[in-house]
Amino acid sequence: MEIRQLNSPDAEEYLSIRLEALKNSPYAFASSYEEEKNQRAEKYKNRFNAPANTLTFGAFEDSQLVGVVTLVKEQLFKLRHRANIVAMYIKPEKRGNGIGKNLVFRVIEKAKNIEGIEQIYLTVVTTNLPAKKLYSSCGFEVFGKDKKALKFDNTYYDEEHMVLFL
């Protein structure tokens, strides 16, 4: 397995896995498949070419993208000591093999090497027990709960807010 920061040639494959994530796990993301299904790979090519504040990493097995995660650095002056993990997804058939943990650890290491970043935040749907276990095993701690944070098909999903202090 290879974990690396994505670049512009990865945009098509990233878009494909992004849409798969939104379609297969609609409760896990604020965005929806319907909202993003018409996105173009160009959006991600541009983001990957100039990754100043948003860094996306991919896990590859046999040159195939099987997992992704994005680190977003806060830009406001008073929040510049923070970053957020978003858009975490591992293909279902590849889960349970340590790919998620390796991706999260790669992002943590990257954040430690970014001047000024002191803490990393993320949110996770409370019913996603494997993800909660993964984040806890990487050192993240719950600091709050957002009741009815997401609504999908007339069902509400609570989210837990987690933080890791570097």
Side-chain angles (χ1 to χ4, degrees):
M1 177 178 54
E2 175 193 14
I3 294 180
R4 64 171 172 79
Q5 191 170 330
L6 299 184
N7 49 50
S8 59
D10 301 313
E12 291 282 348
E13 200 169 7
Y14 177 78
L15 176 59
S16 176
I17 199 171
R18 172 80 177 150
L19 293 176
E20 174 186 322
L22 296 173
K23 196 174 212 178
N24 293 344
S25 302
Y27 60 88
F29 301 96
S31 295
S32 71
Y33 175 79
E34 290 74 22
E35 290 169 314
E36 294 199 25
K37 66 183 178 184
N38 295 321
Q39 287 287 349
R40 298 251 189 263
E42 197 65 32
K43 170 185 176 179
Y44 300 107
K45 283 182 184 178
N46 293 336
R47 182 186 297 170
F48 298 159
N49 273 337
N53 305 313
T54 303
L55 309 167
T56 300
F57 295 86
F60 293 84
E61 279 190 351
D62 300 321
S63 301
Q64 186 88 353
L65 186 61
V66 297
V68 293
V69 65
T70 297
L71 181 70
V72 180
K73 299 184 298 182
E74 293 283 359
Q75 294 306 295
L76 296 175
F77 183 75
K78 295 177 188 177
L79 298 178
R80 286 189 193 157
H81 64 293
R82 300 167 42 154
N84 299 284
I85 287 179
V86 298
M88 174 84 174
Y89 181 75
I90 308 299
K91 287 183 170 278
E93 66 274 14
K94 297 296 183 179
R95 293 177 187 164
N97 297 316
I99 294 170
K101 188 174 245 184
N102 284 324
L103 275 169
V104 172
F105 280 143
R106 178 67 180 92
V107 166
I108 291 169
E109 285 307 309
K110 180 64 174 183
K112 285 179 178 179
N113 291 310
I114 298 173
E115 186 178 342
I117 299 296
E118 300 172 13
Q119 52 210 60
I120 305 172
Y121 290 83
L122 60 83
T123 58
V124 60
V125 173
T126 58
T127 56
N128 191 343
L129 300 180
K132 289 171 54 173
K133 183 180 176 184
L134 165 67
Y135 298 135
S136 293
S137 75
C138 293
F140 285 84
E141 297 177 2
V142 174
F143 70 89
K145 187 173 185 178
D146 190 356
K147 293 186 181 272
K148 297 184 176 183
L150 300 176
K151 184 178 179 182
F152 180 72
D153 283 343
N154 290 318
T155 300
Y156 291 98
Y157 296 90
D158 298 344
E159 287 183 330
E160 287 181 342
H161 297 275
M162 302 182 85
V163 65
L164 173 69
F165 295 97
L166 302 178

CSV table of all heavy atoms in Angstrom, one decimal, residues 11 14 19 22 30 42 44 48 55 58 74 82 92 98 100-101 107-108 113 118 120 125 128 130 136 142 154 157:
chain,number,residue,atom,x,y,z
A,11,ALA,N,-7.2,13.3,-10.3
A,11,ALA,CA,-8.5,14.0,-10.1
A,11,ALA,C,-9.6,13.1,-10.6
A,11,ALA,O,-10.7,13.0,-9.9
A,11,ALA,CB,-8.5,15.3,-10.9
A,14,TYR,N,-10.1,10.3,-8.1
A,14,TYR,CA,-10.7,10.9,-6.8
A,14,TYR,C,-12.2,11.2,-7.0
A,14,TYR,O,-12.9,10.9,-6.1
A,14,TYR,CB,-9.9,12.2,-6.4
A,14,TYR,CG,-10.5,12.8,-5.2
A,14,TYR,CD1,-10.2,12.3,-3.9
A,14,TYR,CD2,-11.4,13.9,-5.2
A,14,TYR,CE1,-10.8,12.8,-2.8
A,14,TYR,CE2,-12.0,14.4,-4.1
A,14,TYR,CZ,-11.7,13.8,-2.9
A,14,TYR,OH,-12.3,14.3,-1.7
A,19,LEU,N,-17.7,10.3,-5.4
A,19,LEU,CA,-19.1,10.0,-5.8
A,19,LEU,C,-19.6,8.7,-5.2
A,19,LEU,O,-20.7,8.5,-4.7
A,19,LEU,CB,-19.3,10.1,-7.3
A,19,LEU,CG,-19.2,11.5,-7.9
A,19,LEU,CD1,-19.3,11.4,-9.4
A,19,LEU,CD2,-20.2,12.5,-7.3
A,22,LEU,N,-20.4,9.2,-1.5
A,22,LEU,CA,-21.6,10.0,-1.3
A,22,LEU,C,-22.8,9.1,-1.6
A,22,LEU,O,-23.8,9.2,-0.9
A,22,LEU,CB,-21.7,11.2,-2.2
A,22,LEU,CG,-20.6,12.3,-1.8
A,22,LEU,CD1,-20.6,13.4,-2.8
A,22,LEU,CD2,-20.8,12.8,-0.4
A,30,ALA,N,-21.9,15.6,4.8
A,30,ALA,CA,-22.8,16.7,4.7
A,30,ALA,C,-23.3,16.9,3.2
A,30,ALA,O,-24.4,17.3,3.0
A,30,ALA,CB,-22.2,18.0,5.2
A,42,GLU,N,-12.1,18.6,-13.1
A,42,GLU,CA,-11.3,19.9,-13.2
A,42,GLU,C,-11.2,20.6,-11.8
A,42,GLU,O,-10.2,21.2,-11.5
A,42,GLU,CB,-11.9,20.8,-14.2
A,42,GLU,CG,-11.0,22.0,-14.7
A,42,GLU,CD,-9.8,21.5,-15.4
A,42,GLU,OE1,-9.8,20.4,-16.1
A,42,GLU,OE2,-8.7,22.1,-15.2
A,44,TYR,N,-11.1,19.2,-8.9
A,44,TYR,CA,-10.1,18.6,-8.1
A,44,TYR,C,-8.7,18.8,-8.7
A,44,TYR,O,-7.7,18.9,-7.9
A,44,TYR,CB,-10.4,17.1,-7.9
A,44,TYR,CG,-11.8,17.0,-7.1
A,44,TYR,CD1,-12.9,16.6,-7.8
A,44,TYR,CD2,-11.9,17.5,-5.8
A,44,TYR,CE1,-14.1,16.6,-7.2
A,44,TYR,CE2,-13.1,17.4,-5.2
A,44,TYR,CZ,-14.2,17.0,-5.8
A,44,TYR,OH,-15.4,17.0,-5.2
A,48,PHE,N,-5.8,20.1,-6.4
A,48,PHE,CA,-4.6,19.4,-6.2
A,48,PHE,C,-3.3,20.1,-6.7
A,48,PHE,O,-2.2,19.9,-6.2
A,48,PHE,CB,-4.7,18.0,-6.8
A,48,PHE,CG,-5.8,17.1,-6.3
A,48,PHE,CD1,-6.3,16.1,-7.0
A,48,PHE,CD2,-6.4,17.4,-5.0
A,48,PHE,CE1,-7.3,15.3,-6.6
A,48,PHE,CE2,-7.4,16.6,-4.5
A,48,PHE,CZ,-7.9,15.5,-5.3
A,55,LEU,N,-5.4,19.7,1.7
A,55,LEU,CA,-4.5,18.7,1.3
A,55,LEU,C,-5.2,17.4,1.3
A,55,LEU,O,-5.8,17.0,2.3
A,55,LEU,CB,-3.3,18.6,2.2
A,55,LEU,CG,-2.6,19.9,2.5
A,55,LEU,CD1,-1.6,19.8,3.7
A,55,LEU,CD2,-1.8,20.4,1.3
A,58,GLY,N,-4.4,10.0,-0.6
A,58,GLY,CA,-5.0,8.8,-1.1
A,58,GLY,C,-4.2,7.5,-0.7
A,58,GLY,O,-3.0,7.6,-0.6
A,74,GLU,N,-7.5,25.9,8.7
A,74,GLU,CA,-8.3,27.1,9.0
A,74,GLU,C,-7.5,28.3,8.5
A,74,GLU,O,-6.3,28.4,8.6
A,74,GLU,CB,-8.6,27.2,10.4
A,74,GLU,CG,-9.6,26.1,11.0
A,74,GLU,CD,-11.0,26.3,10.6
A,74,GLU,OE1,-11.3,27.3,9.9
A,74,GLU,OE2,-11.8,25.5,10.9
A,82,ARG,N,-5.6,25.6,13.9
A,82,ARG,CA,-6.5,24.4,13.8
A,82,ARG,C,-6.5,23.9,12.3
A,82,ARG,O,-6.4,24.7,11.4
A,82,ARG,CB,-7.9,24.8,14.2
A,82,ARG,CG,-8.0,25.3,15.6
A,82,ARG,CD,-9.3,25.9,16.0
A,82,ARG,NE,-10.5,25.3,15.5
A,82,ARG,CZ,-11.7,25.3,16.1
A,82,ARG,NH1,-11.8,25.9,17.2
A,82,ARG,NH2,-12.7,24.7,15.5
A,92,PRO,N,-15.5,-0.1,0.8
A,92,PRO,CA,-16.0,-1.1,1.7
A,92,PRO,C,-15.3,-2.4,1.7
A,92,PRO,O,-15.0,-3.0,2.8
A,92,PRO,CB,-17.5,-1.3,1.3
A,92,PRO,CG,-17.9,-0.1,0.6
A,92,PRO,CD,-16.6,0.4,-0.1
A,98,GLY,N,-6.5,-1.7,8.0
A,98,GLY,CA,-5.5,-0.7,8.5
A,98,GLY,C,-5.4,0.5,7.6
A,98,GLY,O,-4.6,1.4,7.9
A,100,GLY,N,-7.5,2.9,6.8
A,100,GLY,CA,-8.0,4.1,7.4
A,100,GLY,C,-7.0,4.7,8.4
A,100,GLY,O,-6.8,5.9,8.5
A,101,LYS,N,-6.5,3.8,9.3
A,101,LYS,CA,-5.6,4.2,10.3
A,101,LYS,C,-4.3,4.8,9.7
A,101,LYS,O,-3.8,5.8,10.1
A,101,LYS,CB,-5.2,3.0,11.2
A,101,LYS,CG,-4.4,3.4,12.4
A,101,LYS,CD,-4.3,2.2,13.4
A,101,LYS,CE,-5.0,2.5,14.6
A,101,LYS,NZ,-4.8,1.5,15.7
A,107,VAL,N,-2.1,12.0,7.8
A,107,VAL,CA,-2.6,13.3,7.9
A,107,VAL,C,-2.1,14.0,9.2
A,107,VAL,O,-1.7,15.2,9.2
A,107,VAL,CB,-4.1,13.4,7.9
A,107,VAL,CG1,-4.7,14.7,8.3
A,107,VAL,CG2,-4.6,13.1,6.4
A,108,ILE,N,-2.1,13.2,10.3
A,108,ILE,CA,-1.6,13.8,11.6
A,108,ILE,C,-0.1,14.2,11.4
A,108,ILE,O,0.3,15.2,11.9
A,108,ILE,CB,-1.7,12.7,12.7
A,108,ILE,CG1,-3.2,12.5,13.0
A,108,ILE,CG2,-1.0,13.1,13.9
A,108,ILE,CD1,-3.5,11.3,13.9
A,113,ASN,N,3.8,18.9,10.8
A,113,ASN,CA,4.9,19.6,10.0
A,113,ASN,C,4.4,20.8,9.4
A,113,ASN,O,5.2,21.5,8.6
A,113,ASN,CB,5.5,18.6,9.0
A,113,ASN,CG,6.3,17.5,9.6
A,113,ASN,OD1,7.1,17.7,10.5
A,113,ASN,ND2,5.9,16.3,9.2
A,118,GLU,N,-1.8,23.2,15.7
A,118,GLU,CA,-1.7,22.7,17.1
A,118,GLU,C,-2.8,21.6,17.4
A,118,GLU,O,-2.7,20.9,18.3
A,118,GLU,CB,-1.9,23.8,18.1
A,118,GLU,CG,-0.8,24.9,18.0
A,118,GLU,CD,-1.1,26.1,18.9
A,118,GLU,OE1,-1.9,26.0,19.8
A,118,GLU,OE2,-0.4,27.1,18.7
A,120,ILE,N,-6.3,19.1,15.6
A,120,ILE,CA,-7.0,18.7,14.4
A,120,ILE,C,-8.4,18.3,14.9
A,120,ILE,O,-8.6,17.6,15.9
A,120,ILE,CB,-6.4,17.5,13.8
A,120,ILE,CG1,-4.9,17.7,13.4
A,120,ILE,CG2,-7.1,17.0,12.5
A,120,ILE,CD1,-4.1,16.5,12.9
A,125,VAL,N,-20.5,10.7,12.5
A,125,VAL,CA,-21.9,10.3,12.8
A,125,VAL,C,-21.8,9.3,13.9
A,125,VAL,O,-21.0,8.3,13.9
A,125,VAL,CB,-22.6,9.7,11.5
A,125,VAL,CG1,-23.9,9.1,11.9
A,125,VAL,CG2,-22.7,10.8,10.5
A,128,ASN,N,-21.7,5.5,13.4
A,128,ASN,CA,-20.6,4.9,12.6
A,128,ASN,C,-19.6,4.4,13.6
A,128,ASN,O,-18.5,5.0,13.8
A,128,ASN,CB,-20.0,5.9,11.6
A,128,ASN,CG,-19.1,5.3,10.7
A,128,ASN,OD1,-18.6,4.2,10.9
A,128,ASN,ND2,-18.8,6.0,9.6
A,130,PRO,N,-17.4,1.8,13.6
A,130,PRO,CA,-16.0,1.6,13.2
A,130,PRO,C,-15.2,2.9,13.0
A,130,PRO,O,-14.0,2.9,13.4
A,130,PRO,CB,-16.2,0.9,11.9
A,130,PRO,CG,-17.5,0.3,11.9
A,130,PRO,CD,-18.4,1.2,12.7
A,136,SER,N,-10.7,7.2,17.7
A,136,SER,CA,-10.2,7.1,19.1
A,136,SER,C,-8.9,6.4,19.2
A,136,SER,O,-8.0,6.8,20.0
A,136,SER,CB,-11.3,6.4,19.9
A,136,SER,OG,-12.4,7.1,20.0
A,142,VAL,N,-13.6,12.8,22.0
A,142,VAL,CA,-14.9,13.5,21.8
A,142,VAL,C,-15.0,14.7,22.8
A,142,VAL,O,-14.7,14.6,23.9
A,142,VAL,CB,-16.1,12.5,22.1
A,142,VAL,CG1,-17.4,13.2,22.1
A,142,VAL,CG2,-16.1,11.3,21.2
A,154,ASN,N,-35.6,12.0,5.8
A,154,ASN,CA,-36.4,12.2,7.0
A,154,ASN,C,-35.9,11.4,8.2
A,154,ASN,O,-36.6,11.2,9.1
A,154,ASN,CB,-37.9,11.8,6.7
A,154,ASN,CG,-38.5,12.8,5.8
A,154,ASN,OD1,-38.3,14.0,5.9
A,154,ASN,ND2,-39.3,12.3,4.8
A,157,TYR,N,-29.4,12.3,12.0
A,157,TYR,CA,-28.2,11.7,12.5
A,157,TYR,C,-27.4,12.6,13.4
A,157,TYR,O,-27.2,13.8,13.0
A,157,TYR,CB,-27.3,11.3,11.3
A,157,TYR,CG,-27.9,10.2,10.4
A,157,TYR,CD1,-28.7,10.6,9.3
A,157,TYR,CD2,-27.7,8.9,10.6
A,157,TYR,CE1,-29.3,9.7,8.5
A,157,TYR,CE2,-28.3,7.9,9.8
A,157,TYR,CZ,-29.1,8.3,8.8
A,157,TYR,OH,-29.7,7.4,8.0
